[in-house]
Each structure stands twice: as C-alpha cells, then as structure tokens.
Amino acid sequence: MQNRTPRIPQQPAPNRAEFDARLTVELAAVVTGARRRALRDGDRQIDTAHLLHSLIESDPEVRAAFEGGPQLAKVLGYLVQRSIGYGLRWQRAVEDSGAVPVVRHPDSAVRDTGAEGWSPSAASAMAGARERAESRGDARAGGLDLLAALATDRECRAVEVLERAGVEAGQLAARIAGASGQGWQGTGG
C-alpha cells in the first residue's frame, strides 16, 4: 500500500531559546508562520518572501507601513500567487542575495548563527532586524525591524515582490527609519 501523503522535507528548527529571546513575541510568531509556509510550499529554507508574507499577515504595524490598502493588496496578491505556485517561482532554489556568504558545510558557522533552515538572505535580514533593535536600545527585534531589514536588501526575494507590486523598497525603508521609537505612525492600510 502506498502512502498518499505528500512528502514534506525536514527542516531544522532555527528557533533556539537564545534566538527567540532576541525577538518580540509577535516576531517569533512571524518566524513560526514563515517556517510553516516554507514547509507547506515544499521549500528547503525560509526565505525573505516567506518572512514578508508572514509579517504582513500577522503584524498590524507592518501593514500600516505601506501606503494604504491597494498597495498592500497588490503585495499580498504576489505573495499568494507565489504560495500557490503561480507568478514568481523560486521553489526549491536557495535564495542568496550575496548579503552573507552561502554556508555549504553543515558543521560550519550556521549552527552558531541560528541560521539552519534559512536562506542566506533571510538569515541576514533577521540579523539586521536584531541589530536595528539593539541600535535603539531595545533587547528584542519586532516586525518593523524585520521589514526595514528586508527592504534594504535590494537583491532579496521580498524586495522583488515589493517592487513588482509597485512599492519602492528604499522609500519603505526610509519611512520605517523615520518612525519614532514609540512605534510606527503610518497612514494605515
């Protein structure tokens, strides 16, 4: 008898206690959602588009960072197309924007960075989010920190999605950078 359940590739869990301790509860939920999305899509790694999709779905501050409902709907449209196998196709390919070197050996620095199961670009974005939070004195990175880090990597999949949807990633990053430390004062979405 054959098992008709599709095979989902195993993915090491990058959420170690030390990694989670540097994220807000909301951002930890985004990471969990991105991991689920990657597994469901049959991708070997969480990439920046998985992170962007999960951020938009779960974080109201991230949604408010966009220039309103139509722009946000367009971004979500590209992300949904990708998740159902249409439009932008990256499935089963490693995302590498060149932001960090691709780690090829399983016993190398990946274990030390918590980046197992992450594309190099996604790992770099998570590190950038933590650095952004630390630079303003916060111990934990939040959704806007990750969105800003994603928007500054011109070669990542998240920026490709944003730009295809008509969002200028540089302007988005600048709006987030200009937000006060008390939270985003966006125009809604």
Side-chain angles (χ1 to χ4, degrees):
M1 179 174 216
Q2 283 186 317
N3 182 358
R4 295 184 188 262
T5 304
R7 185 180 175 285
I8 298 176
Q10 294 299 313
Q11 185 175 32
N15 267 355
R16 298 186 182 110
E18 63 199 38
F19 180 75
D20 279 344
R22 296 178 69 189
L23 307 177
T24 61
V25 171
E26 296 81 8
L27 189 53
V30 166
V31 169
T32 299
R35 182 180 306 111
R36 249 191 329 266
R37 184 170 301 289
L39 287 171
R40 185 175 53 236
D41 292 350
D43 294 333
R44 294 181 300 142
Q45 297 179 321
I46 296 170
D47 68 25
T48 59
H50 294 124
L51 289 170
L52 179 63
H53 200 158
S54 190
L55 268 173
I56 290 172
E57 283 182 335
S58 62
D59 192 325
E61 285 187 323
V62 166
R63 289 190 298 272
F66 290 87
E67 293 179 345
Q71 185 181 64
L72 189 58
K74 208 168 178 186
V75 171
L76 275 172
Y78 276 105
L79 290 166
V80 168
Q81 285 180 5
R82 185 263 177 126
S83 71
I84 62 174
Y86 295 102
L88 304 174
R89 296 182 187 248
W90 303 298
Q91 193 171 10
R92 302 192 197 292
V94 174
E95 173 186 37
D96 180 20
S97 68
V100 294
V102 176
V103 179
R104 302 202 187 281
H105 193 274
D107 291 335
S108 62
V110 167
R111 285 191 320 225
D112 300 329
T113 63
E116 291 177 61
W118 295 76
S119 74
S121 297
S124 178
M126 292 302 295
R130 290 189 303 267
E131 288 170 9
R132 184 177 186 274
E134 289 170 3
S135 74
R136 67 171 187 277
D138 285 343
R140 295 181 178 190
L144 286 176
D145 297 316
L146 180 55
L147 183 60
L150 291 170
T152 59
D153 183 353
R154 305 292 301 166
E155 301 297 318
C156 76
R157 291 176 179 170
V159 168
E160 184 178 348
V161 168
L162 291 171
E163 292 191 346
R164 289 216 182 176
V167 177
E168 207 317 295
Q171 289 177 358
L172 177 63
R175 276 197 312 273
I176 296 167
S180 73
Q182 300 301 314
W184 174 256
Q185 304 298 317
T187 58

